[in-house]
Amino acid sequence: MKFFQALGLLGCTALLVAAAPSARAGGTFEIPAGARFNKDKLAKIGEFFGNEVTTGKIPGAILLIQQHGKPVYHEAFGVQDVVSKAPITDQTIFRLFSMTKAITSAVAVQMLDEGKFALDDPVAKYIPSFANVKVGVEKEASDGTKTLELVPPSRPPTVLDLMRQTSGITYGFYGDSLVRKAYRAANLYAGDFDLAEFAERIAKLPLHNQPGALWQYGHSTDILARIMEVVAGKSLIEIERDKLLDPLGMKDTGFFVGAPDKQKLLAQPMPNDSDFRVGRENNPTVPKRIMYASGGMVSTMADYARFAQMLLNGGTYEGKTILSPNAFKLLTTDQVGPGSGVDRDFFYFPGDGFGFALGLAVRTDAGHASPPPPGDLGELKWDGASGCYFVIDRKQDMFFVLLEQTPTERQRIQRTVKQLIYEAMEVDDFDVGKSEFQSSCASCHGADAKGKGPVSGQLRNPPADLTMLAKNNGGVFPTDAVYETIHGSKTIPAHGTREMPVWGVRFNPVVNLPHDVDPYYWQKAGPQQSPEVVVRTRILAVIDYLNRIQQK
């Protein structure tokens, strides 16, 4: 047909930018939405971990990358421990360390949303001993010796300070400041105690800095957990089971591993890499009263993937609302950026380019490195001393969870894995459009979303085809024909036959179209997609229509 005699128009009409086949995005930061994974490039992850295991750096690990609700990469490497040599599975139990904070914080924002406490509540409202807390200020004499002067806080530490790590409460296992040395000397972890007693021990120590002045990583989340216990009248694990763990089906997540059959599933680090360097022993098989909300939980891939998917979904999971929109916003909105008054120092663990919300790091900018580290704006993440690590990338509708037990190798491995994951992303406008098109078509009209329907035809020469189609139709293309291609009928239900204006005869796929264009077709699926994806998917439908005409 003469639609396909349009090759001469390529030189005089700007062409569809998306016409190129699969193309890598420029760099690994801010990859365009709708990226997909190249399985050949994902294979590099297995090569990397294979080397880590065979060279004896780690006993093993498990990684899950999930996009659009389905695994795109799900592999275990090595063994859960070098003694038993048992394989790692989704039921293997890992010590989370600071990834516990994400769980604690998710439950805390639920309670905030319910009005159980408020961000501006002083800590002393719930734990009175904090009314007497002091701030440690280092003074240096002329001979270089340092002393610690205790001064009153400029304001009381609040719940907000606890949740964004600005209370001045610290850890004693990193850094050499006099306050941190005081933490180490206090023997904080001696004996069998609960969160109530632990909070009293912390209250006797000086704050590292004035409340709200500096992001300071420490036991703030444990003090937050004690407030949660006070207002709920329950233990921390009871609260977390009621509000998060049971609703998500996280049946193997908790603070202790008591059952002998479960203890056999506990992953262990290499014998020469078993010091997690957190100032205390972390043996979840030994019963004790304390439940460290800042770093004491264990979990499995089967469980933590549910938590990650809930975060990726914006607070919902399998039809259940776990976090309301307001609670999710609290959990994921930066609280330490410009205007917050919060300073950062060498120990700002969220990292360059990241802010910190009420329990999670959130990507706010490219950072200072060139090129920027991989990821997308709005990305959420956290990790722990054992090497466990997760990233939520809502722009790409993707998360990944890495579980491992390697205190010394973890940072190098985490950086490498994230780099490899984002290097495996590709932007293929037609394939992305096809995926979104099939999903949208199925949700709106019950069409075949498995790639077996009309949209599975081979693409031929889309720019020329589309250009000629627009030219022959006076600048519009017939949406009834597109509908016929998809549904086998020329009649569009409740709308009749309509024509949609071509969005710029140049067919620029990134034109910001209003969602009311072609509403009968995209009213259900379009609004949650980016305008770019909507345009690409509609172009794909027309291309498929043209291909079918050519095949006749």
Side-chain angles (χ1 to χ4, degrees), residues 218-230:
H219 283 294
S220 287
T221 310
D222 296 307
I223 307 307
L224 171 67
R226 176 54 189 159
I227 291 177
M228 293 161 63
E229 289 186 334
V230 170

Side-chain angles (χ1 to χ4, degrees), residues 34 116 145 180 245 258 265 286 309 324 326 369 381 397 419 439 455 478 528:
K116 302 295 186 183
T145 58
R180 292 194 183 99
L245 302 180
L265 299 175
V286 177
Q309 185 66 57
S324 72
N326 182 60
K381 70 164 188 176
D397 193 24
Q419 186 70 39
S439 174
V455 295
Q528 71 263 32

Side-chain angles (χ1 to χ4, degrees), residues 17-18 20-27 30-38 41 395-396 422-433 536:
V17 176
S22 180
R24 274 298 317 280
E30 277 294 270
I31 296 174
R36 62 180 176 82
F37 284 96
N38 181 311
K41 292 178 180 178
K395 177 179 176 181
Q396 303 297 347
Y422 278 86
E423 285 180 352
M425 287 186 181
E426 292 182 342
V427 179
D428 182 328
D429 290 323
F430 291 129
D431 282 351
V432 171
R536 289 199 299 268

Side-chain angles (χ1 to χ4, degrees), residues 314-325:
T316 64
Y317 185 77
E318 294 185 347
K320 300 176 184 178
T321 298
I322 307 299
L323 301 178
S324 72

Side-chain angles (χ1 to χ4, degrees), residues 401-419:
V401 177
L402 169 65
L403 299 180
E404 59 181 356
Q405 306 284 263
T406 173
T408 60
E409 304 290 344
R410 63 187 179 94
Q411 292 181 338
R412 175 184 58 81
I413 290 175
Q414 289 167 2
R415 286 193 301 268
T416 302
V417 168
K418 187 177 184 183
Q419 186 70 39

Side-chain angles (χ1 to χ4, degrees), residues 160-373:
L160 172 62
D161 290 318
L162 296 176
M163 296 192 72
R164 67 179 183 176
Q165 301 288 322
T166 59
S167 66
I169 296 169
T170 190
Y171 284 134
F173 58 79
Y174 71 91
D176 61 355
S177 69
L178 294 183
V179 169
R180 292 194 183 99
K181 289 179 179 179
Y183 269 66
R184 288 196 286 271
N187 205 15
L188 279 174
Y189 312 117
D192 188 21
F193 53 92
D194 58 12
L195 275 172
E197 183 176 343
F198 189 65
E200 295 302 316
R201 296 181 182 187
I202 294 292
K204 293 176 183 177
L205 292 167
L207 301 178
H208 188 275
N209 47 265
Q210 289 289 347
L214 179 70
W215 192 90
Q216 179 67 224
Y217 205 42
H219 283 294
S220 287
T221 310
D222 296 307
I223 307 307
L224 171 67
R226 176 54 189 159
I227 291 177
M228 293 161 63
E229 289 186 334
V230 170
V231 300
K234 300 178 181 179
S235 70
L236 177 62
I237 189 61
E238 290 175 313
I239 299 168
E240 292 182 334
R241 284 175 180 157
D242 288 347
K243 293 186 170 295
L244 185 75
L245 302 180
D246 288 350
L248 285 178
M250 298 174 67
K251 58 185 179 63
D252 291 320
T253 300
F255 291 94
F256 308 112
V257 184
D261 60 325
K262 295 294 185 180
Q263 290 180 358
K264 293 178 182 179
L265 299 175
L266 187 62
Q268 301 290 349
M270 297 294 289
N272 61 351
D273 188 23
S274 59
D275 183 3
F276 291 101
R277 295 175 290 182
V278 294
R280 59 181 173 83
E281 183 184 8
N282 187 323
N283 185 348
T285 67
V286 177
K288 44 191 172 295
R289 295 161 62 206
I290 185 65
M291 290 174 278
Y292 288 110
S294 64
M297 297 191 94
V298 298
S299 191
T300 64
M301 181 61 78
D303 279 8
Y304 215 87
R306 291 169 175 261
F307 178 65
Q309 185 66 57
M310 181 273 293
L311 294 177
L312 183 61
N313 294 345
T316 64
Y317 185 77
E318 294 185 347
K320 300 176 184 178
T321 298
I322 307 299
L323 301 178
S324 72
N326 182 60
F328 183 77
K329 183 177 180 181
L330 286 170
L331 183 68
T332 60
T333 301
D334 180 30
Q335 299 286 335
V336 300
S340 66
V342 178
D343 202 359
R344 306 176 184 187
D345 65 6
F346 177 77
F347 297 108
Y348 182 70
F349 297 129
D352 188 28
F354 284 84
F356 195 77
L358 299 185
L360 299 171
V362 54
R363 189 75 177 263
T364 56
D365 57 71
H368 296 93
S370 182

